[in-house]
Amino acid sequence: TLWATHLVEEVEHADRVIVLHKGSMRHQGCVADLLADTGQSNVQSAFLSLTRAGFVRFASSGLRLPL
Protein backbone atom coordinates (compact mmCIF):
# COMPACT_ATOMS: atom_id res chain seq x y z
CA THR A 1 0.00 0.00 0.00
CA LEU A 2 1.27 3.44 -0.92
CA TRP A 3 -0.19 6.63 0.48
CA ALA A 4 0.79 10.25 0.96
CA THR A 5 0.20 12.44 3.99
CA HIS A 6 0.98 15.84 5.39
CA LEU A 7 0.41 14.53 8.93
CA VAL A 8 3.85 13.44 10.01
CA GLU A 9 2.49 11.47 12.96
CA GLU A 10 0.77 9.06 10.56
CA VAL A 11 4.08 7.67 9.30
CA GLU A 12 5.55 6.71 12.68
CA HIS A 13 4.51 3.05 12.25
CA ALA A 14 5.15 2.74 8.52
CA ASP A 15 7.49 0.07 7.17
CA ARG A 16 9.10 2.48 4.73
CA VAL A 17 9.14 6.28 4.50
CA ILE A 18 9.98 8.56 1.58
CA VAL A 19 10.32 12.29 2.25
CA LEU A 20 9.79 14.47 -0.81
CA HIS A 21 10.38 18.20 -0.78
CA LYS A 22 10.00 20.55 -3.75
CA GLY A 23 10.28 17.70 -6.22
CA SER A 24 13.34 16.00 -4.75
CA MET A 25 13.61 12.93 -2.56
CA ARG A 26 15.22 13.83 0.75
CA HIS A 27 15.01 10.41 2.46
CA GLN A 28 14.07 6.84 1.67
CA GLY A 29 14.08 4.04 4.25
CA CYS A 30 12.55 2.94 7.52
CA VAL A 31 11.62 5.31 10.35
CA ALA A 32 14.63 4.21 12.44
CA ASP A 33 16.93 5.15 9.54
CA LEU A 34 15.15 8.50 9.15
CA LEU A 35 15.79 9.30 12.82
CA ALA A 36 19.40 8.06 12.71
CA ASP A 37 20.23 9.87 9.46
CA THR A 38 18.89 13.19 10.74
CA GLY A 39 20.03 12.81 14.35
CA GLN A 40 16.51 13.59 15.56
CA SER A 41 14.47 11.84 18.26
CA ASN A 42 11.04 12.06 16.59
CA VAL A 43 9.58 11.93 13.09
CA GLN A 44 8.32 15.50 13.04
CA SER A 45 11.73 16.93 13.94
CA ALA A 46 13.38 14.67 11.36
CA PHE A 47 10.93 15.82 8.68
CA LEU A 48 11.52 19.47 9.54
CA SER A 49 15.28 19.01 9.48
CA LEU A 50 15.02 17.61 5.95
CA THR A 51 12.57 20.17 4.60
CA ARG A 52 13.02 23.24 6.78
CA ALA A 53 9.28 23.65 6.42
CA GLY A 54 9.05 27.15 7.87
CA PHE A 55 5.93 26.46 9.90
CA VAL A 56 5.29 26.21 13.62
CA ARG A 57 2.63 23.67 14.56
CA PHE A 58 0.72 24.12 17.79
CA ALA A 59 -0.09 20.57 18.92
CA SER A 60 -3.04 21.54 21.11
CA SER A 61 -5.01 23.09 18.25
CA GLY A 62 -3.35 21.66 15.13
CA LEU A 63 -2.94 25.25 13.92
CA ARG A 64 0.03 25.85 11.61
CA LEU A 65 1.42 29.34 11.30
CA PRO A 66 4.23 30.59 9.06
CA LEU A 67 7.42 31.61 10.88
Side-chain angles (χ1 to χ4, degrees):
T1 303
L2 174 66
W3 51 283
T5 184
H6 288 101
L7 301 174
V8 177
E9 298 85 8
E10 291 182 344
V11 303
E12 290 178 346
H13 303 288
D15 294 329
R16 190 166 180 82
V17 175
I18 298 172
V19 177
L20 301 173
H21 182 64
K22 295 185 178 183
S24 68
M25 185 170 40
R26 299 293 176 97
H27 173 80
Q28 177 177 300
C30 66
V31 172
D33 290 342
L34 172 66
L35 298 178
D37 291 349
T38 59
Q40 301 298 320
S41 61
N42 62 68
V43 174
Q44 185 166 355
S45 294
F47 174 80
L48 290 174
S49 74
L50 291 171
T51 62
R52 304 182 196 267
F55 285 91
V56 174
R57 181 173 181 196
F58 295 91
S60 60
S61 65
L63 179 64
R64 289 170 44 101
L65 298 174
L67 292 174

